[in-house]
């Protein structure tokens, strides 16, 4: 009782002092008195009184911004020293109420929200944690460090993915421009000019820009895996592979390069996939994993691939992926790989044949005629190639039927090229004759 009376009298004395300083607009004095009150409550371990005093001081008429900011920052240091989770949540909620709508404590509010979301997640309330995080739009905070902003948005994305909210995860991920990760961190920071907003230093627990880059692309892999967007997954792994810390460690880059090769093989054929495929083949590190080099070379080479022999070679490697970085390739990966090999083989056949029977095509693809026709039809519909099937006679034609105008234009172009070649040849002969005659006269 004696201690309680003493605490109350000390707080009353400091409240009077705070009032005098506040009315005199003495920033340093008000700040000191307010933080001293909080320190007394903390030393007495009276958490209820601490919450009451924070609310009381913040609601004082004409309270100074600097005093409120100092109070919030001071009370944030006490959060980790609370005796239990309930007290911690109560203190965080009190500080959130105080900082709500105040632009000068927006960074502190964001950090408090992150702490509260973490507690909710530990309690298994992922949906609540995600909703809490989405209330804060850190991209508008001018004074927050760039790395802290990115880390906060990535946490928002992660919680959305955890609650299977893939639409919102995509919207949030678009707030981060991937080019920001390629910024040169070695460059000296420009000194802020007078009148510019001061950017705060990021806390010590915030990862570096390159670590954030890896976290960003790992989250994007999780997002793209939901819809089996193999090419985008491959590009994400390629970005991780290009991180210097990954390239320097063979234990890290070998699993990542394996994933790049798998997802290139799984991705549908298009110009982007073809470009990535050729770029990967030029990588010297590919010689460390010969089976994958062989797979990519077979896909690039315009020759029919025997699915059974290829699968027998790669089946063990396919199973190994489950125990490596990034986990398995997906439930449909095996079926999709077979589909890509069939599509590759159909493209190869269309290059070498202008007309072919359906039965012969099925033999080359190691399929029955119904499956061969189904896969060919799907490729024609997706405009991957041009073909027509004469079903009564079971003949497939890969040539485009040209009308009379196109044939005439093609003939005229070819004739023009021929005449150009004849003219150039005549000129070269005439030139050689003149040079030879000049040499004889000399």
């Amino acid at each position: 009782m004696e201690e309680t009376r003493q605490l109350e009298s000390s707080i009353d004395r400091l409240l009077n002092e705070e009032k005098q300083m506040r009315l005199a607009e003495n920033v340093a004095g008000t700040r000191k008195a307010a933080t001293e009150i909080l320190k007394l409550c903390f030393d007495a371990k009276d958490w209820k009184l601490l919450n009451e005093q924070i609310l009381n001081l913040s609601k004082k008429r004409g309270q100074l911004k600097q005093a409120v900011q100092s109070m919030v920052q001071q009370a944030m240091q006490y959060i980790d020293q609370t005796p239990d989770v309930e007290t911690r949540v109560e203190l965080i909620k009190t500080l959130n109420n105080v900082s709500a709508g105040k632009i000068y404590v927006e960074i502190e509010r964001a950090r408090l929200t992150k702490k509260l979301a973490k507690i909710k997640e530990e309690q298994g309330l992922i949906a609540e944690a995600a909703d809490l995080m989405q209330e804060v739009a850190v991209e508008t905070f001018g004074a927050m460090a760039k790395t802290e902003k990115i880390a906060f948005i990535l946490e928002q994305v992660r919680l959305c993915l955890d609650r299977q909210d893939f639409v919102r995860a995509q919207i949030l991920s678009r707030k981060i421009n991937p080019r920001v990760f390629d910024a040169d961190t070695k460059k000296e920071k420009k000194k802020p000019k007078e009148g510019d907003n001061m950017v705060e230093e990021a806390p010590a627990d915030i990862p570096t820009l390159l670590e954030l880059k890896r976290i960003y692309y790992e989250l994007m892999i999780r997002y793209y895996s939901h819809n089996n967007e193999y090419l985008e997954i491959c590009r994400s792994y390629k970005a991780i592979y290009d991180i210097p810390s990954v390239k320097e460690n063979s234990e890290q880059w070998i699993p990542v390069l394996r994933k790049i090769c798998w997802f290139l093989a799984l991705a549908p054929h298009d110009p982007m996939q073809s470009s990535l495929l050729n770029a990967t083949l030029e990588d010297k590190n590919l010689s460390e994993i010969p089976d994958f080099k062989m797979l990519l070379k077979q896909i690039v080479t315009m020759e029919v691939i025997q699915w059974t022999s290829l699968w027998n070679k790669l089946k063990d490697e396919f199973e190994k992926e489950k125990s490596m970085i990034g986990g398995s390739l997906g439930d449909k990966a095996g079926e999709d790989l077979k589909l890509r090999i069939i599509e590759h083989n159909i493209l190869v056949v269309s290059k070498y044949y202008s007309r072919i029977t359906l039965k012969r095509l099925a033999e080359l693809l190691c399929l029955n005629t119904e499956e061969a026709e189904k896969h060919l039809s799907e490729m024609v519909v997706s405009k991957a190639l041009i073909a027509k099937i004469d079903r009564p006679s079971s003949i497939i034609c890969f040539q485009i039927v040209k009308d009379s105008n196109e044939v005439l234009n093609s003939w005229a172009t070819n004739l023009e090229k021929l005449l150009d070649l004849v003219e150039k040849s005549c000129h070269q002969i005439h030139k050689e004759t003149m040079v030879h005659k000049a040499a004889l006269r000399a």
Side-chain angles (χ1 to χ4, degrees), residues 264-291:
L264 273 172
L266 288 164
H269 179 78
D270 69 6
M272 176 65 79
Q273 185 258 7
S274 183
S275 171
L276 266 172
L277 194 60
N278 289 313
T280 308
L281 272 169
E282 289 172 11
D283 194 332
K284 290 175 183 177
N285 289 337
L286 204 61
S287 56
E288 297 287 325
I289 42 174
D291 286 342

Side-chain angles (χ1 to χ4, degrees), residues 29-273:
T30 312
R31 188 187 285 170
K32 190 182 177 186
T35 51
E36 278 295 321
I37 292 167
L38 300 191
K39 193 174 185 299
L40 282 172
C41 297
F42 171 69
D43 291 340
K45 300 296 176 190
D46 192 338
W47 300 101
K48 191 180 177 183
L49 185 62
L50 176 67
N51 290 333
E52 286 172 6
Q53 289 302 328
I54 291 167
L55 286 170
N56 180 30
L57 286 164
S58 66
K59 288 175 181 176
K60 295 280 186 187
R61 186 170 62 86
Q63 185 59 276
L64 303 173
K65 292 178 182 180
Q66 294 88 335
V68 174
Q69 194 174 23
S70 294
M71 275 197 308
V72 172
Q73 288 170 355
Q74 176 93 351
M76 280 178 73
Q77 294 171 18
Y78 303 150
I79 291 169
D80 295 330
Q81 297 176 54
T82 46
D84 52 50
V85 176
E86 286 178 15
T87 313
R88 191 175 303 162
V89 170
E90 197 61 40
L91 180 56
I92 291 170
K93 283 183 177 177
T94 303
L95 292 170
N96 265 339
N97 290 338
V98 169
S99 57
K102 296 180 177 73
I103 202 165
Y104 50 90
V105 281
E106 61 184 5
I107 295 173
E108 284 78 7
R109 181 173 166 77
R111 289 170 185 166
L112 288 164
T113 306
K114 195 174 179 181
K115 281 179 187 284
L116 187 58
K118 194 177 180 182
I119 293 166
K120 294 286 183 188
E121 191 185 359
E122 285 168 0
Q123 292 173 344
L125 305 168
I126 292 168
E128 275 189 42
D131 290 337
L132 275 170
M133 289 291 280
Q134 282 162 47
E135 286 174 10
V136 185
V138 288
E139 63 275 10
T140 62
F141 295 0
M144 188 181 264
K146 183 168 66 175
T147 49
E148 193 177 356
K149 275 186 197 177
I150 295 165
F152 196 95
I153 295 167
L154 290 177
E155 190 66 13
Q156 291 176 326
V157 174
R158 184 186 66 79
L159 286 167
C160 285
L161 290 172
D162 287 348
R163 75 186 286 197
Q164 307 288 308
D165 189 350
F166 294 100
V167 174
R168 196 166 268 109
Q170 187 197 23
I171 293 164
L172 289 166
S173 68
R174 285 180 177 171
K175 290 180 180 180
I176 299 171
N177 186 346
R179 287 181 188 172
V180 79
F181 300 117
D182 301 324
D184 191 359
T185 51
K186 291 175 185 175
K187 283 183 181 177
E188 287 184 14
K189 290 180 182 177
K190 290 180 182 176
K191 288 182 180 178
K193 293 175 185 174
E194 200 175 333
D196 286 356
N197 286 333
M198 291 292 286
V199 177
E200 282 192 18
E201 286 290 323
D205 61 334
I206 299 295
T208 62
L209 205 58
L210 289 174
E211 286 168 351
L212 288 169
K213 180 180 181 179
R214 181 161 190 161
I215 295 165
Y216 169 78
Y217 283 109
E218 282 170 354
L219 289 171
M220 293 318 294
I221 288 162
R222 277 182 65 188
Y223 168 73
Y224 292 127
S225 298
H226 171 64
N227 293 324
N228 291 330
E229 294 178 48
Y230 296 124
L231 187 59
E232 292 301 327
I233 296 170
C234 175
R235 289 175 69 189
S236 297
Y237 272 114
K238 188 81 173 71
I240 292 171
Y241 179 71
D242 290 334
I243 297 170
S245 60
V246 174
K247 272 201 168 179
E248 287 165 9
N249 187 351
S250 61
E251 287 181 10
Q252 287 190 35
W253 68 252
I254 287 176
V256 174
L257 190 57
R258 283 168 66 102
K259 284 283 194 289
I260 291 168
C261 296
W262 276 121
F263 287 112
L264 273 172
L266 288 164
H269 179 78
D270 69 6
M272 176 65 79
Q273 185 258 7

